[in-house]
Amino acid sequence: MEATAFSHIPVMPDQCMEALAIRPDGLYVDATLGAGGHARRIAEQLRGGKLIGIDKDPQALARAAGRLADYQGTIQLLLLRGDYRDMDKLLAAQGIHQVDGILFDCGVSSPQFDDPSRGFSYRFPDAPLDMRMDPDAPLSAYDIVNGWPAEKLKAILHDYGEEVHASLITAAIEKKRSHTPILTTGQLASIVVSALPPAARRGKGHPAKRSFQAIRVAVNDELAGLKTGLVIAIGLLSPGGRLVAISFHSGEDRIVKTVLRDAATGCKCPPDFPVCVCGKTPTIKPVYRKHLAPNEDELAHNRRAKGAKLRAAEKIV
C-alpha cells in the first residue's frame, strides 16, 4: 500500500508559545513530539536552552529529528522514545527532575493519520485495522473490533465516541464478524454507516467518525494515559514553569480540565469544618480564565485545528 506524502501544520502554534512563556535558557519538554512542528517553534526561541521530545512512535522520532536538524549544536536537543505517562522515569534516566515547560498536543499526529499503513482513517478503505500509535504495542483495532465482547465494544463507542447509536453499530459488527473477520478500515466504515438510521448518515462529517475515534482511543488507552501524564507533568514543573495542553474532543478536554482544576484547588474539607484537616494546597494556577481556541484564519488554513482547545497552568509551588 502506498503512503501519501506527509504534511504537518502544528495547531495553535503562536498561542502555545505564548502560553509556555519560553525562557531562552530554559528546559522544555514536548511530550507528544509527533512530526516536530511545535518542537521546532520551541527550538526557535531557545538560546542555550534544552529541548526534550518524547514519542512512542519511532517513525515520528525520525521525522522530528529531520525537522529539528537545523538546531543540533545550537541548543541541547534530546529525543526519547517512550510514553508520556512514563515521562518522569524517562527524564530521571537523563538526570532531569525539573523542567520549565511541558507541552501536550493530544490525539493522532498528522503523519500517522495520513499514512494508510497505520490504519487510522476511513479515507483509505484498503488500510489494515491497526490504529496503534506505538507500532510495537500488542493491541490493535483489529483485536478490538473482532475480539472484544459486545458489551465492552458498545461501551467504548458510547463513552469514547459519544456515539448515540452504539447498540446498533455493535450489533452490526457482531453480525459481520460472526461470519468473517473485519480486516480493513473500509469494511469497518461500511458496517458502521449501514447500521445507522438514514438521518444519522446525513449529519456533519463522516458517519463513522465517532466510532473510529472511540476505537482509536481504546487501542492506545489515550484517556487514562493522558490523566496520568498530566499529573506527572505537574510534578515535574519547576516553580513558574508552564504546562500547556491542546485537546480535540470532549473526552480529552474533560480530563485536562479536571486534572488542572484539581491541582489548582486547595482545601477540600467540608465547609462546616472549623479548620483544614486535609492539608491540600494548590500547586498550579490557571494562565487563562477560559480555554483558548483557534482563530478564524487558522481554521481557514488548517482544518485539523477544528475543535482544538488550549488550556495552560503555571506551577506555584
Side-chain angles (χ1 to χ4, degrees):
M1 189 179 301
E2 191 174 325
T4 58
F6 294 125
S7 63
H8 174 65
I9 306 173
V11 171
M12 303 179 70
D14 294 335
Q15 294 96 320
C16 281
M17 298 307 107
E18 177 185 307
L20 282 169
I22 294 170
R23 296 197 342 255
D25 62 345
L27 196 169
Y28 295 88
V29 177
D30 187 336
T32 51
L33 183 62
H38 287 113
R40 186 175 176 89
R41 291 293 297 269
I42 296 171
E44 288 171 356
Q45 300 191 41
L46 295 179
R47 299 291 183 274
K50 186 166 188 173
L51 172 61
I52 299 169
I54 297 173
D55 207 292
K56 52 191 174 185
D57 183 350
Q59 294 179 24
L61 289 169
R63 282 191 292 268
R67 199 178 188 105
L68 296 166
D70 294 347
Y71 298 94
Q72 289 280 7
T74 61
I75 66 170
Q76 299 176 68
L77 179 63
L78 183 62
L79 305 184
L80 303 174
R81 185 179 181 189
D83 192 316
Y84 56 57
R85 73 181 81 193
D86 299 319
M87 193 188 321
D88 52 347
K89 300 181 184 67
L90 292 168
L91 297 184
Q94 304 297 324
I96 298 168
H97 303 283
Q98 279 196 327
V99 302
D100 298 303
I102 302 173
L103 173 66
F104 287 79
D105 180 11
C106 302
V108 184
S109 71
S110 295
Q112 288 172 330
F113 198 75
D114 291 337
D115 182 351
S117 71
R118 304 300 293 270
F120 281 101
S121 177
Y122 39 73
R123 291 187 294 122
F124 310 109
D126 295 327
L129 272 178
D130 194 323
M131 303 191 192
R132 290 174 296 174
M133 294 178 182
D134 178 353
D136 295 330
L139 182 69
S140 72
Y142 173 91
D143 301 318
I144 289 176
V145 170
N146 290 286
W148 276 20
E151 284 303 310
K152 193 174 180 182
L153 182 57
K154 183 173 73 173
I156 65 165
L157 294 176
H158 180 272
D159 296 344
Y160 298 164
E162 298 182 341
E163 175 55 72
V164 297
H165 301 293
S167 295
L168 294 176
I169 294 168
T170 300
I173 290 173
E174 262 206 304
K175 181 178 179 181
K176 177 66 176 178
R177 72 186 187 183
S178 67
H179 298 291
T180 182
I182 302 166
L183 301 175
T184 68
T185 55
Q187 288 175 327
L188 178 60
S190 178
I191 293 165
V192 171
V193 172
S194 67
L196 295 173
R201 301 175 200 170
R202 296 192 292 268
K204 290 184 179 180
H206 195 286
K209 180 178 180 178
R210 289 181 296 274
S211 295
F212 271 65
Q213 172 186 295
I215 293 167
R216 185 206 85 211
V217 168
V219 167
N220 297 287
D221 194 22
E222 292 177 40
L223 299 187
L226 178 60
K227 182 177 180 180
T228 300
L230 290 169
V231 171
I232 288 171
I234 291 170
L236 286 168
L237 288 175
S238 58
R242 296 280 185 93
L243 171 64
V244 177
I246 306 173
S247 58
F248 290 88
H249 60 79
S250 59
E252 289 173 343
D253 186 57
R254 195 177 302 120
I255 286 173
V256 174
K257 186 164 53 176
T258 300
V259 170
L260 297 189
R261 183 176 58 213
D262 183 66
T265 301
C267 173
K268 289 191 170 183
C269 294
D272 58 344
F273 275 33
V275 294
C276 173
V277 296
C278 72
K280 187 177 186 303
T281 57
T283 56
I284 61 172
K285 62 181 181 180
V287 173
Y288 306 111
R289 188 173 63 86
K290 295 177 62 178
H291 71 267
L292 302 185
N295 58 39
E296 292 300 321
D297 182 63
E298 179 173 5
L299 290 171
H301 293 89
N302 185 9
R303 63 183 177 84
R304 289 185 181 163
K306 184 179 180 182
K309 292 181 179 180
L310 183 152
R311 298 185 188 274
E314 181 177 309
K315 190 74 172 285
I316 55 177
V317 292

